Amino acid sequence: MPHKGEGRGGGWGREQPLPPHPTPAGGRAGRSGGAELRRRDELPDVEKLGRRRGRKMDSVEKGAATSVSNPRGRPSRGRPPKLQRNSRGGQGRGVEKPPHLAALILARGGSKGIPLKNIKHLAGVPLIGWVLRAALDSGVFQSVWVSTDHDEIENVAKQFGAQVHRRSSEASKDSSTSLDAIIEFLNYHNEVDIIGNIQATSPCLHPTDLQKVAEMIREEGYDSVFSVVRRHQFRWGEIQKGVREMTEPLNLNPAKRPRRQDWDGELYENGSFYFAKRHLIEMGYLQGGKMAYYEMRAEHSVDIDVDIDWPIAEQRVLRFGYFGKEKLKEIKLFVCNIDGCFTNGHIYVSGDQKEIISYDVKDAIGISLLKKSGIEVRLISERACSKQTLSSLKLDCKMEVNVPDKLAVVDEWRKEMGLCWKEVAYLGNEVSDEECLKKVGLSGVPADACAAAQKAVGYICKCNGGRGALREFAEHIFLLMEKVVNSCQK
């Protein structure tokens, strides 16, 4: 069944002879019987495969192309030898070169469900940003790429530090498979030996998962590794009129239903990633040769393209997502730009030249909630705001106006309280806020913030400035602080 889009693990594409003991990536393992791997007795002609690469395969590669993995994803005894590859580019034969492992995220602009889903904000970050952050911070890839046909997706990818491959229109059709896009990428990048195809729809992916899989490929000699999750679900046969009038159990005895703790469950592909060596992909498969699965934790196995909707995914990501190399710290100081964050940026002037501003009561409540939780709240503005107007708001927090250098003032406040930058949160919306946003532990901007501020930030609110953005960012802080408390208790 050909795959009609990206973000799932299914439909890698073509009907052709299977590689040794393969699982074509045309469906998730476990749809009918857990993580069973289909097998065939026919083995490919590895010498022909070597000639397709333009060289003769050595004995080590032949062994890797014809061996079978332990189904648990670990070698039964010892470690298989590493693959020995000749250097490319005419630098001489026999010179060992580490295999080039490239991360490749497929992000087509077209989407039948959610327009530009790959860059839609999830928990304040573009969806694709979650997996790019994990891939880059894992440190195991020689290069991290996004394959796309869309300008906006390209801009977001570069913003997060990825390289971009502009795919052709042929590989961007609704009928195009993921394998089509991967093979096209390899045709342009002869330096790549191994592809780590990471799905943009798996926002709870962590760098540690990618590090362990890279070790399985590089050190333990696997040709392909794919992600699975363990599920404890009983399956039943489908009723079909004229064929089967009653259902039948598929993986249980109804008379002896096991308790969850007494049953190991079954393994299902979760679509998070598929790693495969180049020679396997060139045969038309991402699963085959000496293959293994990698079992991800259930809380990290989030695929919003299949079985979870956006609001639920946001809650899961806030609790189980990866937020960067440095651990989150408890926030003790919250700084907010007045104009365009606490207010909507509109200024009204009365007949007697008095300044009038408007704000959302939800944001005032947000300030109150922050203070009740023990977080110091301070307001700042580069404009010479009317102190009389601000004092009439009765927010009971320190304010500094007519500030030419916001970073210097915030740094002074931080030192005054004896805090490190990771204990400071900042909500800004202008170019003048950019340096503060880059420096603090938690940074946010309203939905209508300027482009420079959005690029420097960790969280982009759904609400506009003066329309609930402060309250929204405060709730984001509370969720993350709950994450900090839980991690400290473990």
Side-chain angles (χ1 to χ4, degrees):
M1 181 99 170
H3 177 46
K4 298 298 183 181
E6 292 161 8
R8 298 191 180 202
W12 300 112
R14 306 185 172 102
E15 300 240 347
Q16 48 185 295
L18 297 174
H21 310 295
T23 298
R28 299 177 184 271
R31 290 292 187 203
S32 57
E36 295 180 6
L37 306 179
R38 292 171 52 195
R39 298 184 175 184
R40 294 270 181 97
D41 291 329
E42 302 95 280
L43 299 179
D45 187 337
V46 293
E47 292 292 348
K48 289 181 181 178
L49 180 59
R51 287 196 293 274
R52 184 184 296 182
R53 296 288 310 274
R55 58 179 174 79
K56 189 173 182 179
M57 296 182 74
D58 58 35
S59 59
V60 175
E61 288 178 293
K62 289 180 185 178
T66 57
S67 58
V68 182
S69 74
N70 180 312
R72 274 293 187 185
R74 295 180 173 82
S76 55
R77 289 185 184 176
R79 287 187 175 182
K82 301 178 184 178
L83 295 181
Q84 305 294 321
R85 294 187 181 275
N86 293 333
S87 62
R88 300 182 184 181
Q91 296 300 317
R93 295 183 179 277
V95 179
E96 292 185 12
K97 178 184 177 183
H100 184 117
L101 174 56
L104 181 63
I105 294 93
L106 306 179
R108 193 167 58 93
S111 174
K112 294 299 184 184
I114 305 173
L116 289 179
K117 171 187 61 186
N118 293 308
I119 56 174
K120 177 180 168 66
H121 287 166
L122 178 74
V125 176
L127 177 60
I128 197 173
W130 291 102
V131 294
L132 284 174
R133 180 189 290 164
L136 290 162
D137 284 359
S138 70
V140 299
F141 298 104
Q142 276 88 340
S143 58
V144 175
W145 294 84
V146 171
S147 170
T148 187
D149 60 338
H150 200 279
D151 291 342
E152 289 184 52
I153 296 176
E154 176 177 353
N155 291 336
V156 172
K158 289 179 177 178
Q159 177 184 327
F160 276 85
Q163 301 181 71
V164 173
H165 170 78
R166 287 300 294 237
R167 69 170 74 174
S168 67
S169 58
E170 279 299 309
S172 303
K173 298 177 180 177
D174 288 343
S175 58
S176 301
T177 67
S178 298
L179 187 61
D180 291 333
I182 295 171
I183 289 177
E184 180 189 77
F185 171 82
L186 287 177
N187 287 339
Y188 282 90
H189 296 279
N190 191 51
E191 76 280 3
V192 175
D193 299 291
I194 308 166
I195 286 287
N197 176 220
I198 303 172
Q199 305 296 318
T201 54
S202 301
C204 281
L205 181 66
H206 281 241
T208 51
D209 296 320
L210 301 173
Q211 291 164 356
K212 291 173 183 176
V213 173
E215 182 180 356
M216 293 172 71
I217 292 278
R218 284 174 166 158
E219 305 296 330
E220 299 177 7
Y222 289 104
D223 293 311
S224 59
V225 181
F226 55 94
S227 58
V228 301
V229 64
R230 188 175 299 274
R231 292 179 178 169
H232 294 76
Q233 296 174 321
F234 295 131
R235 293 180 291 106
W236 292 80
E238 184 177 353
I239 296 176
Q240 296 176 317
K241 289 185 178 181
V243 178
R244 180 187 295 169
E245 297 298 330
M246 28 184 308
T247 188
E248 295 178 358
L250 297 180
N251 65 346
L252 79 153
N253 179 354
K256 297 180 180 179
R257 292 174 64 92
R259 299 182 305 166
R260 181 185 178 91
Q261 58 267 39
D262 296 331
W263 181 40
D264 287 339
E266 296 177 331
L267 298 177
Y268 291 76
E269 286 186 29
N270 65 359
S272 187
F273 55 76
Y274 296 84
F275 281 60
K277 291 180 178 174
R278 185 184 190 109
H279 69 259
L280 196 61
I281 297 171
E282 288 176 340
M283 293 177 65
Y285 292 90
L286 282 179
Q287 294 162 299
K290 181 179 178 182
M291 60 182 165
Y293 59 76
Y294 177 82
E295 185 176 346
M296 288 179 62
R297 293 168 57 180
E299 59 267 31
H300 292 169
S301 184
V302 176
D303 186 351
I304 65 172
D305 205 31
V306 178
D307 57 1
I308 196 166
D309 63 25
W310 213 266
I312 296 174
E314 287 190 322
Q315 296 302 311
R316 290 279 295 277
V317 168
L318 287 171
R319 284 172 170 79
F320 304 117
Y322 171 71
F323 287 85
K325 291 181 179 179
E326 296 188 38
K327 289 186 177 180
L328 294 170
K329 284 185 173 288
E330 185 178 357
I331 297 299
K332 296 180 180 177
L333 172 62
F334 175 87
V335 181
C336 177
N337 185 21
I338 296 172
D339 300 304
C341 288
F342 179 67
T343 74
N344 61 7
H346 295 172
I347 302 171
Y348 306 93
V349 181
S350 65
D352 57 357
Q353 300 299 303
K354 289 185 177 178
E355 183 180 286
I356 302 171
I357 60 173
S358 66
Y359 68 96
D360 195 314
V361 69
K362 292 194 296 288
D363 291 328
I365 293 174
I367 290 177
S368 177
L369 292 173
L370 287 165
K371 292 171 63 178
K372 285 180 180 177
S373 66
I375 298 174
E376 176 78 10
V377 178
R378 298 188 179 184
L379 304 180
I380 194 169
S381 176
E382 62 186 314
R383 190 174 62 86
C385 306
S386 167
K387 290 189 176 182
Q388 182 180 359
T389 301
L390 293 174
S391 62
S392 67
L393 301 178
K394 298 181 179 179
L395 297 172
D396 192 26
C397 52
K398 187 172 182 178
M399 304 178 192
E400 197 72 42
V401 300
N402 198 21
V403 177
D405 186 350
K406 292 179 181 177
L407 182 62
V409 172
V410 176
D411 191 30
E412 183 180 334
W413 287 345
R414 175 188 68 82
K415 291 175 180 176
E416 169 194 314
M417 296 178 64
L419 306 177
C420 67
W421 279 109
K422 291 298 176 183
E423 296 172 298
V424 181
Y426 191 98
L427 183 66
N429 69 312
E430 281 296 342
V431 175
S432 59
D433 298 310
E434 188 177 352
E435 293 305 315
C436 291
L437 292 169
K438 290 179 179 178
K439 201 81 173 174
V440 297
L442 286 179
S443 57
V445 295
D448 55 350
C450 73
Q454 289 196 21
K455 288 181 180 179
V457 82
Y459 183 89
I460 301 176
C461 298
K462 297 175 186 176
C463 300
N464 288 343
R467 293 291 183 266
L470 193 156
R471 172 67 179 270
E472 180 186 340
F473 189 48
E475 290 177 349
H476 176 68
I477 292 172
F478 296 145
L479 282 171
L480 295 186
M481 291 308 95
E482 181 181 336
K483 184 185 179 87
V484 171
V485 172
N486 290 338
S487 64
C488 292
Q489 291 175 346
K490 291 180 180 178

